[in-house]
Amino acid sequence: MEITIEDFQKVEMKVGVVVEAERIEGTRLLKLKIDLGGETRQIISGIAEYYTPEQMVNRRVIVLTNLKPRVIRGYESQGMILAAGCKEDEQKGVKPVLLAPDGDVPPGTRIC
């Protein structure tokens, strides 16, 4: 499916820094608190099979910030962290790899 440049301009992505991370018991989910430069958001991510909470703290990630909030297992998720490797790739043995900026980019910096 092709989209227009106008469609793409509706997508808002920013650099975030994970300030807290914990595994949600009995799930493959991590509950992350992410600093987006002046605002902190909670994001629920299905990456606990691949990343421990300790590996996530202080890590820079790319966050889709204008995604409608959603409740996952009783926790509100206020965005999505981006990774290469989707469910179809996992079936081929490819683990998700989190996307991150190349360098020390401040939290809240827009991706364009």
Side-chain angles (χ1 to χ4, degrees), residues 1-72:
M1 170 177 67
E2 292 182 346
I3 64 171
T4 66
I5 191 66
E6 290 79 16
D7 291 330
F8 180 73
Q9 289 171 336
K10 294 176 188 176
V11 176
E12 185 176 295
M13 295 177 283
K14 294 182 179 180
V15 174
V17 176
V18 179
V19 293
E20 292 179 29
E22 69 179 81
R23 187 169 186 148
I24 298 175
E25 284 297 317
T27 72
R28 300 173 2 172
L29 303 172
L30 291 182
K31 181 172 69 166
L32 308 170
K33 296 282 185 182
I34 299 179
D35 174 12
L36 291 167
E39 142 179 54
T40 301
R41 292 208 189 169
Q42 175 173 279
I43 295 180
I44 309 303
S45 181
I47 59 170
E49 288 182 65
Y50 308 102
Y51 296 92
T52 66
E54 296 78 20
Q55 290 174 309
M56 293 303 297
V57 174
N58 295 320
R59 185 181 205 122
R60 279 182 164 59
V61 293
I62 305 301
V63 180
L64 179 59
T65 58
N66 63 337
L67 187 65
K68 183 178 178 180
R70 177 176 169 203
V71 175
I72 301 172

